[in-house]
Amino acid sequence: MRWTEPLTGRGDHFLELQYVHSVLDAPTAHAWGVRLGHVTVMVHSGSLGTGHLAGTLALNLATSVYPKGLAHPANGFFPLLTGEQNAAALQGMRDALHTAGNFAAVNRLFLVLMATAVLQGTIGDCEFPLLYDAAHNFIWQEDEHWLQRKGATPARGYEAMQGTPFADTGELVLVPGSMGASSVVLAGQGHPQALHSASHGAGRKQARGEAMHAHEDEFRQFLHDFRVVTPIDWRRARADVRAQKLAELKQEAPFAYKGIGPVIQTLEQTGIARPVAELWLLLTVKGW
């Protein structure tokens, strides 16, 4: 079983081999085919540099149709009106966005295919049917409105899911923890004040630069507790190469991220999404 989630970013891309440690909502888990002990593959990746290019193109298009002689917005946000006069620019922005989205889908597909090939070569025949492919950091057109979920993923409820396999459960929501914590699968409740959205992960507690210069004791404990494998053997590398690799690892260490528990509790207590199953980590692959 597999599920994927796209992201345009950098260090927090990952592929994880996990297993279903506990079922928290048995009817929903049964409807989704999620069983205790199932091994799963979760991919959290996206359009990589293509997303940045799409955003730059959208900004250039919005700037090109901004009224001449009018002072540019101080915050750098240029509105792109949806009238007929700006139809070509608007279509160009949508084309760029969809190109990035398509790139992300193919990216995740190939990552899962590679993971499946490795697993099949190691343990024999096995299948990982897709359970869900969730999006975040994307713009949706909903009737006459446009909704951008930045750092969030759709968590629509029963009504919005009519006509889909999730009509009786609410939309499947993935909230990954850090590579030192569990991840949780939830069912969206369609909370209107949250714009039918939920957080797409536990989120960072510290910026990358801050994490690189703190928590030496916790970092040493992390390296002791986890078997960290990188493209180079950083334990035997030259001192400068080893220092660079350790700095990169430190940016993504568990202490740099929020705990998964309070995040899930907030989503549940506010009626945004209800927990369905908890996944425990077997293996994390990062840094492609």
Side-chain angles (χ1 to χ4, degrees):
M1 183 177 298
R2 62 184 171 94
W3 29 63
T4 59
E5 182 176 10
L7 173 71
T8 53
R10 47 175 186 169
D12 37 11
H13 290 190
F14 66 77
L15 182 150
E16 283 192 346
L17 196 65
Q18 306 165 325
Y19 72 96
V20 180
H21 174 264
S22 57
V23 171
L24 310 172
D25 179 344
T28 301
H30 179 78
W32 292 350
V34 176
R35 303 288 187 271
L36 198 65
H38 265 182
V39 173
T40 70
V41 175
M42 179 186 290
V43 175
H44 190 151
S45 186
S47 57
L48 305 176
T50 309
H52 184 271
L53 291 174
T56 300
L57 177 60
L59 177 61
N60 291 340
L61 289 169
T63 305
S64 69
V65 296
Y66 195 73
K68 306 299 182 185
L70 192 63
H72 286 184
N75 59 12
F77 295 158
F78 287 81
L80 181 54
L81 303 181
T82 57
E84 186 64 31
Q85 183 177 357
N86 297 328
L90 183 63
Q91 186 60 49
M93 183 207 70
R94 295 180 64 183
D95 290 345
L97 184 69
H98 293 156
T99 297
N102 291 335
F103 184 100
V106 174
N107 180 28
R108 296 190 301 279
L109 171 63
F110 276 96
L111 288 170
V112 170
L113 288 175
M114 287 189 289
T116 302
V118 170
L119 290 168
Q120 289 178 337
T122 303
I123 63 176
D125 189 38
C126 57
E127 294 184 356
F128 288 88
L130 176 64
L131 179 59
Y132 205 57
D133 186 24
H136 69 275
N137 292 2
F138 201 76
I139 301 174
W140 287 258
Q141 184 176 3
E142 301 182 353
D143 299 323
E144 72 277 14
H145 303 293
W146 293 75
L147 173 61
Q148 180 177 12
R149 292 182 173 96
K150 173 63 177 174
T153 188
R156 294 167 289 188
Y158 308 107
E159 184 177 350
M161 289 287 99
Q162 292 304 306
T164 78
F166 303 96
D168 297 326
T169 62
E171 187 166 20
L172 193 149
V173 176
L174 301 170
V175 181
S178 74
M179 60 178 168
S182 61
S183 299
V184 180
V185 182
L186 305 94
Q189 302 294 280
H191 197 299
Q193 290 181 306
L195 300 179
H196 304 258
S197 307
S199 55
H200 77 271
R204 296 193 70 93
K205 183 169 61 177
Q206 293 181 316
R208 291 182 174 87
E210 184 182 357
M212 287 172 60
H213 302 289
H215 304 284
E216 288 297 336
D217 292 341
E218 290 184 67
F219 186 54
R220 280 195 293 269
Q221 189 63 45
F222 162 67
L223 293 176
H224 177 269
D225 294 340
F226 289 78
R227 180 170 180 251
V228 180
V229 180
T230 65
I232 62 169
D233 186 348
W234 55 269
R235 294 175 179 84
R236 299 180 180 181
R238 239 177 29 218
D240 57 333
V241 176
R242 182 169 62 252
Q244 177 64 33
K245 181 55 64 175
L246 288 174
E248 294 172 0
L249 291 173
K250 204 172 185 182
Q251 294 177 35
E252 300 301 319
F255 56 72
Y257 286 84
K258 300 174 186 175
I260 190 73
V263 175
I264 300 303
Q265 186 178 38
T266 299
L267 293 175
E268 183 177 19
Q269 291 180 348
T270 55
I272 291 175
R274 68 178 187 280
V276 174
E278 183 181 18
L279 312 176
W280 278 21
L281 176 65
L282 295 171
L283 173 69
T284 300
V285 181
K286 298 173 73 80
W288 45 77

